[in-house]
Structures are given as C-alpha cells and as structure tokens.
Amino acid sequence: MNVAGLLTSAGVNTIVCLGLFSLYSVLRKQPSLVTVYFGQKLSRAQSKRHDPFWLGRLVPSASWVVKAWDATEDEIYAAGGVDAVVFMRAVLLSIRVFAVASIICLGLVLPLNYCGKERQHKQIRDELLSVFTIGNLHRGSQWLGVHCAVLHIITICACYFLYCEYKNIMKMRLNHINAPLYYPSQFTVVVRAIPWVDQESYSDTLAKFFTDFYASSYLSHQMVYETGAVQKLMSDAERMYNMLTSIHMERRYVRRLLRCGFCGGTASSFNTLSDESKSICKEESCLDGSDECGAALVFFRTRYAALVASEALQSPNPMAWVTDPAPEPHDMFWSNLCVSYRSLWIRKIIVVVASIFFVTFFLVPVVFTQSLVHLDKLTNVLPFLEHIVRRKVLEQLITGYLPSVVITLFLYLVPPVMYTFSTLEGAISRSDRKRSACIKVLYFVIWNVFFANILTEAAIDHYQISILKLGDAKNIPMLLAKAVPATATFFMTYVLTSGWASLACELIQPFALITKLVNIYILLNTDDTTFTPYTFPYHTEVPRLLLFVLLGFTCATLAPLILPFLLVYFCLAYLVYRNQIINVYVTEYDSGGLYWPIVHNTAIFSLVLTQVIALGVFGIKDAPGPSTFTFPLIVLTLLFNEYCRQRFQPIFFRTPAKTVIEMDRRDEQSGGMAEIHQTLLSAYSQCSSKPSKKNKKGEMNKTDSVLDVTEKGDISHA
C-alpha cells in the first residue's frame, strides 16, 4: 500500500467519525432519547418530561466535549466506581507514553527510515509505506543505534508511568476497602461443596460445622436454593408486567390493539398491584418449592473472622467445604452458586477446548483480510483481479479500507462468545465473569489480530521456511522482525477502522438507539420509567485499548507512522469514555480496580515483545552494538515487572488483615457493630434482581431530583 491508500482510509474514517459525532450531538438533545444517552443520570433521579421544540436541538454542537473534559476524577468515581477510574487512567497512561513516543519517533526515527537507502524517491503520495519502516535501512547501518536509544527511552518512560499508576491505584483500592461505607461482603463468606449427610439437610450440616469450629465468630447463614428456572420465570413475568402496564398507560395504543384483535378484553383489563402486594407475592413465591443446594452464605461477627475463614482450608479434603470471599449482594451471580464444585474443572477444560476451536475458526477471516492487503500479489494466483489493480481508486479502497472493516465486523462476535464461556466456567460474581471474559477477549485479539496477521503476512511474502521453523525459539525474533514492519500497513488501517470508527459507534449506541426508536415509532410506547440500564462493557473496551497499546509499542521504532493515528485514538477515547461513564453507563457492581493488573501485565508483555522484535531486527541488519544493549533491557524490564508483582499486586487479590482489624475496632468503638449485624442478615436476597443504590453513608439513595432538558439540550439536575 502507498501513502495515497493510507490517506484514503484515513479520509473515509474521518468523514464517518465527524458525521457520527455530529449526529450524536443532535440525538442527545432529543428528550425522547434521554434513556439512551443519559441512563446514568436517570438511574439516580426521577424522569420529568419536558420537550419544547427549539431550533438548537437540530444543530450539532461540541458542548459534550467540554463537559467531558471538565469532569473531575471524583465525578468519574461517583458515576463508575474504581473500575471506571482505573480504565480512564489506563487511557491517560497511553496518551502520555505515546505522546513521548510520537515526538521522538516522528522527529528522529521516521526521517532515518525514509532516508535509509540511497534511492530516487517518488512523490510522497505515491511512496510505498515500506519506505517509512526500519526495513528501508541497509544492513549494518550506523543509524540503528538511534533506534536502540529510542527504544530505551520509550521503555524507561513507560516503566516510570506504570510504576506511578500502579502505586496510586493501589492506594485507591486500599481507600476503597477502608471506606466508611458498610459492605456486607466484608462479613460474608461463600461456602460451596457442603457434604451431604443422611437424615440431615445442608442447612443443619453447615450450622453444626461452623458452630463447632467458629463458635465465637459465627453469626448466621443463608442457604442457596436451586431457583434458576423459577427466578427466570419471575423476571420474565416482571418484565412482561412492566410492558403491559406501560401499554395500559397508552390508552390510544391499547384501543388500536383491541381493534386489531391482537388481544381480548378492554382497556381496563390490566389491574395493577400495589408495591407492597408485589413484594409480598415475590418473596413468598420466589423460593417456594425450591431445593437447597450444597452452597450457602455464612455471616461472621467481624471482618477479620470472615477473612480468615475465606482464606483457610476448611477440610483435609480440598473438594469439600470450599470457602471464598463473598461478592457484594448486587454483584452475586446466584445461578452459578448451585453448580457442583466438583464439575468446575471439567467445565474449564470444555471452555478451553471450545476457545481453541473458536480461535481456529477465526483464522479464516484473518487470512482473507491479509490477502486483500496484498491484492497485487494475488494477481499471480487469481488473474481476474488484474482489472481491479489497474483502477487506482478501487485498489486503494480495497487494500486500505476493506480489510480492517471485514475483521472488525467479525470481531463483534467475539465478546458475546467469550462472555458465555466465562459464564460456563462457574464464576460466582458478575464482576469476575466480566473480568474473565475480558482476559479471554484480550488473548483472542492479541493472537488473531496481531500474531495471526503476522504469520499470514509471512506466508504471503514467502517466509514459509521461517514458519516451519517456529519450533526453534531462536527463529521467532527473526520471523517477527521480518513480518511486523510489513504488517504495519494493515495495523494502521485497523487503528482507523476499529479505533476511530468504534469510538463514534460507542457514542451513538446503535443497538439502544434502534430499540428506542422501535418502541417510539412502531410500538408507540414513550414511557421512560421501564428502561434497562447498561453497564460499562469492560470485556470489550479494555482488550481493544490494550491491543492498540501493543500495536503502538511494537511499531514505534519499526513503523512510526502508526503513532499519530494511535495518539488521535487515545485522545478521542479519553473524551468519549468519560462522557459515557458520566452520562450513559450505570454501575451495578465494582471489582475495586482488578482490571489494573491486566493493564499492567499486558503493557509489560508488549514492551518485552517489542524488545525481542527489535533484537531480531538488529540481528538481521548486522548491528551487534544495538543487539548487545537491547538484551539487558529485556532483563531489566522483566525485573521491573517482578518488583511490581511483589510490591503492589498482592493488594489486588488479598485483603490486608491490619486494615480489616482496624475497621472492626472502629465499628465496635462507635457502637455500630450491632446495627451492622442486624442489617447483615437481610442484605442478600436471592429473589432480588435489582441492585440497591447506596450513598457514601451506606443508606439508600432517596434523591428527589428530577431530570429536565435545559436550553442547551443537555440533561441536568433541575
């Protein structure tokens, strides 16, 4: 691909992004779409219909950009919790690192690559992108030392920023644990694999066990019931009830339904129950006829007792009396608690095998997209493509835009599949399920978007011998060194399509928008009180962000032309995601920053991979000096990662005993422990499907604020 093809792809994506951004600035002003673009605020306040027409509602504006930029980190934390702050800090970290990399690489490395060989250059628009890569340098070039120095600078800056962020986020997690807000999960332990004893129920067996071994700290317990089918029927019934009552409010629509013969009865056929009657019926019928399963929630008198019980091995048989820290009530994934603990390892094996088959299946679109990038080389195999190659505009569109679009469309299938796999693994909390799906999607995109494209590029460029020698570890850096600069062309277009365009689609929320428009104009239902809030899709956005971090590190010194496109993406992501967290997504559960170790480990992996590839490039280019200085850099990066793993990572997966003991003493001295014990017994409800909103004092949020459409068309507190 030449520069003109890259500019064609950039131009198409720029037009698409500007169009969607302008459309979003208009759609967000429409009062009928308030549930699509302001679900976060609607979840905390009552909705008030006020839709006077004014001309400004049809004029695009950038007010949302200003508000997203002015939002503080405290506002991000209040809206999205620790996970949202961690995600935004990962975006900000990327901006800092690649701003430094862009300044250095575009100022030093790119001119050296372009002038690496004595040749007659064409006009810039007709130049092949390969002349801007390190492959344009001749063997033994003295300028390779500059590449080695730049690699050291980027690594030092990245490690410094990672260390600072790891330290700050660790403190944030400790503050989250030590907050004055009362968390029921701190006193609760999930017990699974309760042994079955004849003539006794699971409840009696569990009570005897914990009364015997935890007599001074055991408070009570709550059994888990096999109510998967019953609970699903009740949730479906509740959803149908809400829909029917909203239809009942639209009498004009009801009369149309009656005239069309879709339902019998009159407009007064739907008689609503009071809230008290509904709650009584729900509590009485949810667990009616359900059987106990070998799992329960055990409540302890102190946080320290719960911590000890959750960390200790309860029985000489590790497959019995399995204890884990309990998730928060609204984070609990009840249906997986009844899954037999002995079958979890079988489920994990099945998921691994299914994931391998899915990854193998996905290689088909990867090979297809890479073949489109090298359309000129396919004419030797497929002669009928010659007339396409002769048409420059068509060739530039196919090679520069179509491949990344195809692979982006296929990638939309990955997150739902991985989310299903994580559910089958038996996660007992929704946050763990989403985090597990995030890791699976991350592995998938790194392999299929990065490594699979590189191997396909190697095969197309006749590096089959190197591919056959992959079993020899010493050949891997050489293979990567040859293929990565050549594949940078596809990665640039992928950043434009899967990066820029995906952010525009994230703003528009196409699925929610289409659903809302169908309700308004087809079902004639304008009720906003029954909207379904959306949680932030960490399992899709975190892997996408980290994939671009990987592409940025690996291509920084090899093909620095990708850096401006990446920097634009990270800056747009900073504004878009802040807007979405503040206005759109509702936080139902929070893992307390557990996504940061994923971010840190992936960044370290990207750095080490970049250094290994550079080592291979220096070996191919006969540059012993840069190779000598690159190897110690790999060792130092791994030592830095090990230090961070020992110093910071344990806080993310284990709770300090000192912290919980101090919290217990604080509550005992204030006299609040008795009140905590009283509310603890009713904190978890297997029948409840909606999380309870709490403020910083641990009380239910009873805000009386309403939402209105202001003169500027934005939603604000009135």
Side-chain angles (χ1 to χ4, degrees):
M1 181 193 296
N2 56 18
V3 175
L6 179 63
L7 294 178
T8 300
S9 178
V12 171
N13 284 280
T14 301
I15 294 174
V16 171
C17 290
L18 290 177
L20 292 179
F21 285 175
S22 301
L23 178 62
Y24 166 74
S25 66
V26 174
L27 292 176
R28 74 192 301 269
K29 300 177 184 179
Q30 311 309 314
S32 58
L33 302 179
V34 63
T35 57
V36 178
Y37 300 114
F38 294 95
Q40 168 63 234
K41 292 185 177 180
L42 278 178
S43 67
R44 295 181 293 175
Q46 300 172 353
S47 178
K48 176 183 173 182
R49 176 69 63 185
H50 179 62
D51 21 338
F53 178 80
W54 57 288
L55 187 60
R57 281 168 48 181
L58 303 179
V59 179
S61 63
S63 60
W64 68 272
V65 176
V66 178
K67 292 188 176 182
W69 177 266
D70 291 339
T72 63
E73 190 172 272
D74 291 336
E75 294 176 352
I76 299 293
Y77 176 77
V82 181
D83 288 339
V85 176
V86 166
F87 180 76
M88 292 312 305
R89 289 206 171 191
V91 177
L92 190 57
L93 171 72
S94 303
I95 294 176
R96 292 170 178 170
V97 172
F98 290 108
V100 175
S102 298
I103 295 173
I104 299 176
C105 293
L106 295 179
L108 292 178
V109 176
L110 187 64
L112 294 179
N113 291 343
Y114 184 71
C115 302
K117 291 181 180 179
E118 295 182 0
R119 53 184 296 177
Q120 184 177 1
H121 291 284
K122 306 176 184 177
Q123 293 183 353
I124 293 296
R125 65 183 308 274
D126 296 326
E127 287 280 14
L128 295 176
L129 294 180
S130 59
V131 302
F132 298 97
T133 68
I134 199 172
N136 196 46
L137 292 176
H138 58 79
R139 297 170 65 93
S141 174
Q142 60 181 351
W143 298 117
L144 290 172
V146 177
H147 292 72
C148 181
V150 170
L151 180 62
H152 280 70
I153 295 174
I154 294 175
T155 302
I156 292 172
C157 291
C159 291
Y160 173 75
F161 290 138
L162 283 171
Y163 175 82
C164 294
E165 290 297 335
Y166 218 148
K167 183 178 180 180
N168 293 331
I169 293 174
M170 182 197 69
K171 293 179 180 179
M172 186 186 306
R173 177 171 172 82
L174 289 175
N175 293 333
H176 174 74
I177 296 174
N178 197 25
L181 176 63
Y182 152 63
Y183 292 113
S185 61
Q186 295 175 342
F187 295 84
T188 311
V189 173
V190 173
V191 181
R192 291 181 290 175
I194 302 174
W196 171 255
V197 179
D198 293 337
Q199 307 301 324
E200 283 188 3
S201 64
Y202 283 119
S203 180
D204 295 336
T205 304
L206 184 140
K208 289 182 179 179
F209 180 87
F210 281 93
T211 302
D212 187 13
F213 296 103
Y214 294 89
S216 60
S217 58
Y218 168 71
L219 179 64
S220 180
H221 71 273
Q222 176 181 328
M223 297 304 301
V224 178
Y225 294 87
E226 297 179 355
T227 59
V230 177
Q231 197 168 357
K232 185 178 185 303
L233 289 174
M234 290 195 63
S235 61
D236 292 342
E238 184 178 1
R239 192 159 43 244
M240 182 64 68
Y241 167 79
N242 292 331
M243 184 183 70
L244 293 178
T245 53
S246 63
I247 294 176
H248 171 60
M249 296 175 63
E250 299 288 342
R251 294 182 178 274
R252 181 168 58 90
Y253 179 50
V254 171
R255 288 196 296 269
R256 289 185 182 182
L257 285 179
L258 295 176
R259 287 199 300 269
C260 294
F262 287 138
C263 70
T266 64
S268 60
S269 297
F270 304 113
N271 297 321
T272 62
L273 297 174
S274 65
D275 292 339
E276 183 179 358
S277 301
K278 288 188 293 183
S279 62
I280 293 175
C281 294
K282 186 175 182 179
E283 293 295 334
E284 289 182 352
S285 60
C286 178
L287 301 178
D288 186 26
S290 302
D291 296 328
E292 292 179 348
C293 63
L297 300 174
V298 179
F299 307 108
F300 291 85
R301 299 184 182 276
T302 62
R303 297 175 179 85
Y304 178 71
L307 177 64
V308 172
S310 64
E311 297 288 344
L313 188 64
Q314 304 297 328
S315 169
N317 180 11
M319 300 294 288
W321 297 107
V322 179
T323 56
D324 295 291
E328 282 298 302
H330 44 272
D331 191 18
M332 186 73 71
F333 192 55
W334 293 97
S335 60
N336 273 352
L337 285 177
C338 289
V339 175
S340 174
Y341 185 80
R342 297 176 182 271
S343 67
L344 291 182
W345 66 277
I346 300 178
R347 285 171 169 252
K348 292 180 180 180
I349 292 177
I350 294 175
V351 167
V352 170
V353 174
S355 300
I356 293 175
F357 276 105
F358 187 62
V359 170
T360 305
F361 165 77
F362 204 85
L363 289 176
V364 176
V366 171
V367 174
F368 174 70
T369 54
Q370 272 300 317
S371 64
L372 291 179
V373 174
H374 299 276
L375 194 63
D376 54 339
K377 297 178 182 178
L378 290 180
T379 55
N380 298 328
V381 182
L382 304 174
F384 66 88
L385 296 176
E386 291 183 358
H387 70 282
I388 297 179
V389 176
R390 293 172 185 171
R391 300 181 179 181
K392 293 297 182 182
V393 177
L394 188 59
E395 179 192 6
Q396 292 172 1
L397 184 64
I398 293 177
T399 59
Y401 187 72
L402 188 59
S404 55
V405 171
V406 172
I407 197 169
T408 300
L409 293 177
F410 275 97
L411 280 175
Y412 278 110
L413 300 175
V414 177
V417 174
M418 296 304 178
Y419 202 71
T420 303
F421 287 166
S422 297
T423 303
L424 294 176
E425 281 184 336
I428 62 174
S429 68
R430 298 180 181 182
S431 58
D432 283 347
R433 177 179 60 172
K434 183 168 287 189
R435 191 163 56 89
S436 175
C438 172
I439 296 174
K440 291 181 177 61
V441 175
L442 178 61
Y443 288 160
F444 184 92
V445 296
I446 287 178
W447 167 252
N448 274 357
V449 177
F450 185 77
F451 286 106
N453 275 285
I454 287 175
L455 295 178
T456 305
E457 168 69 26
I460 293 176
D461 278 350
H462 309 293
Y463 296 144
Q464 294 90 341
I465 297 177
S466 298
I467 295 177
L468 294 176
K469 293 181 179 179
L470 277 178
D472 192 353
K474 67 180 182 180
N475 292 314
I476 296 179
M478 299 297 180
L479 172 63
L480 295 175
K482 293 179 180 179
V484 170
T487 322
T489 298
F490 169 76
F491 291 152
M492 292 179 194
T493 59
Y494 182 78
V495 170
L496 294 172
T497 303
S498 183
W500 294 11
S502 67
L503 291 176
C505 292
E506 171 65 28
L507 274 179
I508 292 294
Q509 295 286 306
F511 178 77
L513 178 62
I514 293 173
T515 303
K516 185 63 178 179
L517 293 178
V518 169
N519 284 332
I520 294 176
Y521 296 106
I522 297 180
L523 299 180
L524 302 180
N525 178 20
T526 59
D527 183 27
D528 290 339
T529 59
T530 58
F531 80 101
T532 303
Y534 300 94
T535 58
F536 192 88
Y538 292 104
H539 62 298
T540 62
E541 304 311 312
V542 173
R544 179 183 286 116
L545 176 71
L546 295 180
L547 175 64
F548 290 149
V549 171
L550 172 64
L551 296 180
F553 278 130
T554 53
C555 296
T557 56
L558 304 183
L561 200 58
I562 196 176
L563 292 177
F565 303 109
L566 278 174
L567 193 58
V568 171
Y569 165 78
F570 290 127
C571 292
L572 290 176
Y574 181 77
L575 296 174
V576 170
Y577 288 127
R578 285 169 72 89
N579 176 79
Q580 299 301 88
I581 291 171
I582 294 173
N583 294 322
V584 179
Y585 294 113
V586 177
T587 302
E588 295 184 351
Y589 45 83
D590 189 2
S591 69
L594 290 182
Y595 288 97
W596 180 255
I598 301 175
V599 174
H600 177 86
N601 293 335
T602 306
I604 293 296
F605 169 78
S606 303
L607 282 173
V608 174
L609 180 63
T610 301
Q611 295 157 5
V612 170
I613 295 174
L615 191 64
V617 171
F618 296 148
I620 293 175
K621 297 293 184 178
D622 292 334
S627 299
T628 303
F629 285 100
T630 302
F631 183 77
L633 186 64
I634 299 176
V635 177
L636 292 176
T637 304
L638 293 175
L639 290 177
F640 166 77
N641 180 57
E642 183 63 21
Y643 172 78
C644 291
R645 193 179 70 85
Q646 298 292 336
R647 174 63 180 86
F648 302 123
Q649 185 169 314
I651 300 297
F652 288 82
F653 298 100
R654 301 178 66 184
T655 303
K658 178 178 179 293
T659 301
V660 297
I661 291 174
E662 290 176 349
M663 295 172 67
D664 289 334
R665 290 175 179 174
R666 183 179 61 200
D667 289 332
E668 290 174 355
Q669 293 173 358
S670 63
M673 192 64 80
E675 182 181 356
I676 291 177
H677 291 167
Q678 184 178 359
T679 58
L680 185 64
L681 301 179
S682 59
Y684 289 86
S685 175
Q686 193 170 353
C687 301
S688 176
S689 60
K690 295 181 180 181
S692 59
K693 303 291 182 182
K694 294 184 178 182
N695 56 26
K696 292 184 179 180
K697 295 181 180 180
E699 300 173 351
M700 295 299 296
N701 190 3
K702 299 180 180 179
T703 179
D704 294 328
S705 59
V706 295
L707 295 180
D708 199 355
V709 181
T710 65
E711 293 182 358
K712 294 183 179 180
D714 295 327
I715 302 301
S716 62
H717 290 288

